[in-house]
Structure formats: C-alpha cells, structure tokens
Amino acid sequence: MTDPEVLARHLDEVRILDLFAGPGGLDVAAHFLGLKSLGIEWDGNACETRYAAGLPTIHADVRVMREDRFDQIPKSVDILAGGPPCQSFSVAGTGAGRRALETVKRFIHRLVDEDENEAEIDEDLRALDDPRTALVLEPLRWLLKAIDTDDRNPYEVIVLEQVPAVMPLWEVYAQILRGGEGRLGGVKYEAECWQLKTEEYGVPQTRTRAVLIARRPGRGAVEAIPTTHRPFDVHRGKRVVAQTDSLLAETSVLGRKQSWVSMADSLRAASQLSGSCDRVSRFKSQQSSDSESEPQLDFFVVSNYGSGGDPKNRGRRQASEPAFTVTGKVSRNKIYKSESDLAAGRYDRFTIAESGVLQTFPHNFPWSGQDQAQQVGNAVPPRLGMHVLSAAVLGAPPSEEALAAARSWPNVPATTSDELRALGCGDQSQCPAGSHRSIAIRQNPAAP
C-alpha cells in the first residue's frame, strides 16, 4: 500500500468492493451513480487501465486478499459486488464449470455448514477439472469472512453477475441467503436472481447475464429490474407460424419501450462527442464533405464464431442491428462495407475504442496495458451495471442525466494514476507472481 494521506484520499467513504474487477465495468457504473468503489483485480494489464481511469484498485488474487489481507479492506465497505471469471462456465470456454454445477452446489452448502472444515473444503476444491470454477464461491466466502470478523458488519447489499450457465448456482446462493442458517449466524437477506438481456437496457449488443441481488431486511423487497428497451430477435427471419400469436401478444407492452440500440447509432453518437478520437469517428469518412446530414454507417459484421452449431457458418449483423456479444475475441470480427468487399476479402476490424463503446464504456475511456481486446470482452457493460447497481443500492432506475453523463470519462491526471499504482502495486511482492512482466505502462490508444 502507500502513505496514509494517499490512502485516505482514495479510499475514504468507499462503499463498494468489486471482486474480479477487470478494467472497471461495475466501477464505471458506480462512478456515474455517485458511489465510490474499490476493485480487486489479479490481471496487471486490467489494473493499468484502472489506474489510468482513476479507479482505486488492489492488484491481488481475491483468495489471497480474503485469507491474508482482509484487514486492508476499508470498513466503510457495505456493498459486495463481483463477476467471477466465466471461462469454465461460458459456452465459448472449456465447459468444466457447467459439468461441475451439481458439485459446486454441494460446495455452497458445505461452506455454510458449521460442521464442515474449511481447509478440507479447500483440499477438495483442488480436484475440480478447472480451478477457476471454484472462484464462483468467493463472494460467499467473502460474506462469511465479514460475518466471522469481529470488527466487521455483514454486507448490506450483494450484487453478482455471470454467464447464464451460472444461474442455478445463483439460485442456491439466493436460497441460502434467505435462510441465514449455519455459518451465516442468522444473517438473512432478501434475494432474487434473473437472466437479463443487455439490449433491453440500452446496450448495443446482445448478451445475456445471470444477475443476483441480495439486500438485508429493512431495505425493501428485491424486485425485478425494469427493462427500458425492446429485445432483439436473434432468430429474425426464422420464425415459425406458431410463434406469431405470442409475438403479437407482446406488441402492446413492447410498443411502450424504446427500440434496441444499434451499432450504427452507438458509434455515430460516440463520434459526435467532444474530443472524440479517430478510432471512434472513422466512419465519418463515409459522409461526403459537402453533406450536412449525419454520417451514414452502412456496414455489416461477420462474427468470429460459428452459428447454429456449424463453425464455418459465421453469423452476420447489420450496422442497423445490435452487435454480437462482445468477447475477448471482438477484434477478430470482420467489418465489410459491401458484398463486393466481402467477395474481394476487403474487411476492417473494430478498434479497441469502438469495441468499448459497444460495451457502453465512455468513448474516451483510457484502455491501457496489453491484451486490451480481452479486457473489453471480460468487462461488465457499464450501462447494464448502472441499472443493476441503481436497483440494488438506490432502489430506483438510474436517472437519464446519469446515463447521459456516462458517455464520456473525466480526464485523470498522471499523478492520480501514479498514486493509484502505488496503492495497488506499491509492494509488488504482494501482486500475483510474474504479473508485471507484460504490462506496457500507460498505453492509451483511446485518448484523443
């Protein structure tokens, strides 16, 4: 860590602890909601992005922080948030987590059982095919640690998100949190979980997330998070007649909501913001120099992934549609301006800044370090995060003013980034082993 004055400046009144913080999707959301957060992140490159963005960070393994450095977490923290790594649960990953769902459910029950030995649980967890699967248990272990620590209070609010495959585990979490039994020592929560579609919250991509919100009694019932936009029909053009009636029945409800946001709309809006850089505004070149109309964004995207189970059948999205799920391989998607370009093999790629905009990061967010495409793809879309955190903590949707402000990121002085780096990495012996070898300090391709 660093000196007391710097600690106080950056960590006083921190309310949110973001486990597995990545480059800052939830922290960006918290910032625009007026909530101060602290992230724990093991990847040094993601930490560099966080430092450049002015986000307080501890560069560490969440397990090490829980076991050996728990006392370094500010006592003002009353909200636990996190999205454990999804690789073993994602359909694009190994599938080890999906195969182990029933085993992980048993581990959840074992962790709250007063008769279980935690050291034995740790030993048994080592038998999992993919060690990352066990990280989905960390939020519960952090809660139990807070309950077991004399000078700490249980978290008032818990917010978790993951890929849809983790939904059965969140359901077990919710059941246990409502019961307050065993090692929870009577600490109970109102808890619910849902699968949320990002495009229904104004994110210009189709992406489904399993979300859990838990609150201590007295803070009001946990209710479903209202959607603001219509869902995108990923099976457009493939509907069967039997679906028609149900689609028509939804029209009266959906008609009152905004349409989903397209790639063209989001990139055009970002390109017109003050200080927009060429990496976002390059599509303006499609506008003739004497035209006063908005730039026309006419392109289509061919996915890096196969569609319908056929790896050779690459899906397509038009500029007038939401993007595919933005993953760490987003830079492999190919952008074509015409069918003739497709035939000739002439294509472009999304820049990091554009990929970030499709994730609803501010257009000028200071992506730094290496593996930036992976950082973008791993992140929680901040706009979705604003809806989830606002519902969980404030009990209301985010204001239109907050959502509008979230399109641009404030300038962060280099001195602030340096202080945050000293806070998070000042004693590199406490950082994950070897994690500073590949970091390119203050790379910032998204800056104007």
Side-chain angles (χ1 to χ4, degrees):
M1 289 263 181
T2 187
D3 68 72
E5 286 189 9
V6 173
L7 282 175
R9 183 161 58 251
H10 294 297
L11 298 186
D12 272 4
E13 300 181 359
V14 163
R15 292 194 60 194
I16 299 175
L17 177 63
D18 185 5
L19 307 178
F20 315 103
L26 278 176
D27 304 78
V28 168
H31 169 83
F32 288 110
L33 293 174
L35 300 168
K36 198 168 180 179
S37 64
L38 168 67
I40 301 175
E41 175 53 42
W42 74 272
D43 178 62
N45 291 301
C47 287
E48 281 304 313
T49 292
R50 296 178 61 86
Y51 301 149
L55 298 173
T57 306
I58 299 175
H59 182 196
D61 186 316
V62 295
R63 293 166 294 194
V64 173
M65 287 299 302
R66 171 177 54 81
E67 293 170 355
D68 303 329
R69 301 170 61 189
F70 190 78
D71 62 335
Q72 294 178 10
I73 303 301
K75 293 183 174 61
S76 58
V77 166
D78 64 348
I79 302 162
L80 182 69
C86 67
Q87 288 90 341
S88 74
F89 294 98
S90 170
V91 294
T94 64
R98 298 194 303 277
R99 293 190 297 272
L101 279 175
E102 294 304 315
T103 300
V104 177
K105 287 180 184 179
R106 290 193 290 273
F107 277 116
I108 294 173
H109 287 287
R110 288 180 64 185
L111 281 171
V112 297
D113 187 340
E114 292 178 309
D115 295 328
E116 286 278 357
N117 181 288
E118 197 160 359
E120 292 180 0
I121 293 176
D122 286 334
E123 183 63 31
D124 292 343
L125 284 170
R126 295 188 182 95
L128 292 172
D129 290 342
D130 188 330
R132 294 172 296 186
T133 301
L135 295 175
V136 78
L137 301 170
E138 279 301 314
L140 177 58
R141 303 186 83 166
W142 275 79
L143 170 60
L144 294 172
K145 182 79 170 186
I147 292 173
D148 291 342
T149 303
D150 290 339
D151 61 347
R152 299 281 174 154
N153 293 318
Y155 305 109
E156 288 291 315
V157 177
I158 299 171
V159 176
L160 306 177
E161 67 84 33
Q162 247 281 12
V163 294
V166 175
M167 188 68 175
L169 303 182
W170 286 171
E171 290 170 345
V172 176
Y173 259 69
Q175 175 191 354
I176 284 176
L177 292 173
R178 294 185 198 115
E181 298 176 357
R183 288 184 59 202
L184 289 171
V187 175
K188 296 183 180 181
Y189 290 82
E190 302 283 345
E192 299 292 342
C193 46
W194 315 269
Q195 290 193 41
L196 305 182
K197 295 182 177 180
T198 56
E199 81 271 18
E200 294 189 76
Y201 297 90
V203 179
Q205 66 170 296
T206 53
R207 184 188 195 109
T208 302
R209 306 301 289 180
V211 171
L212 177 143
I213 292 178
R215 284 200 297 249
R216 295 280 284 137
R219 300 181 64 97
V222 176
E223 298 180 350
I225 305 170
T227 59
T228 56
H229 292 67
R230 301 174 190 172
F232 177 70
D233 182 7
V234 296
H235 302 295
R236 63 205 182 286
K238 299 179 183 178
R239 300 190 188 110
V240 295
V241 176
Q243 292 177 302
T244 304
D245 290 342
S246 62
L247 290 169
L248 290 174
E250 295 175 356
T251 302
S252 60
V253 176
L254 297 178
R256 295 194 293 269
K257 296 180 180 177
Q258 303 174 63
S259 176
W260 34 260
V261 179
S262 70
M263 290 183 280
D265 287 341
S266 62
L267 293 172
R268 182 186 298 112
S271 74
Q272 295 173 339
L273 293 171
S274 175
S276 176
C277 63
D278 289 342
R279 291 176 178 269
V280 174
S281 61
R282 63 186 172 133
F283 287 111
K284 283 186 176 179
S285 62
Q286 296 185 34
Q287 179 185 20
S288 62
S289 58
D290 58 350
S291 172
E292 296 182 357
S293 62
E294 291 186 339
Q296 298 302 306
L297 303 181
D298 187 13
F299 61 88
F300 61 90
V301 178
V302 177
S303 173
N304 177 57
Y305 295 99
S307 178
D310 181 357
K312 296 182 179 179
N313 182 24
R314 307 297 185 182
R316 278 200 195 190
R317 292 280 174 89
Q318 300 297 321
S320 57
E321 297 176 326
F324 296 103
T325 298
V326 175
T327 72
K329 304 297 187 293
V330 62
S331 57
R332 297 185 185 179
N333 290 345
K334 296 179 180 180
I335 306 171
Y336 297 94
K337 293 182 180 178
S338 66
E339 292 292 337
S340 60
D341 281 352
L342 175 64
R346 293 188 297 268
Y347 58 84
D348 205 347
R349 308 278 195 183
F350 285 124
T351 65
I352 295 300
E354 289 165 347
S355 301
V357 167
L358 296 179
Q359 276 276 58
T360 64
F361 276 88
H363 72 99
N364 57 340
F365 195 69
W367 300 101
S368 302
Q370 298 181 358
D371 297 329
Q372 292 177 15
Q374 194 66 51
Q375 291 183 49
V376 174
N378 286 349
V380 180
R383 187 179 178 104
L384 178 67
M386 290 180 71
H387 281 276
V388 173
L389 280 177
S390 190
V393 181
L394 306 178
S399 69
E400 289 301 320
E401 292 78 11
L403 291 170
R407 295 165 65 189
S408 295
W409 193 249
N411 181 58
V412 176
T415 53
T416 297
S417 298
D418 291 342
E419 287 181 353
L420 290 173
R421 188 177 296 107
L423 186 157
C425 298
D427 180 357
Q428 292 189 9
S429 68
Q430 297 193 80
C431 297
S435 58
H436 285 265
R437 294 175 184 170
S438 63
I439 298 172
I441 302 297
R442 292 203 54 88
Q443 285 185 3
N444 189 355

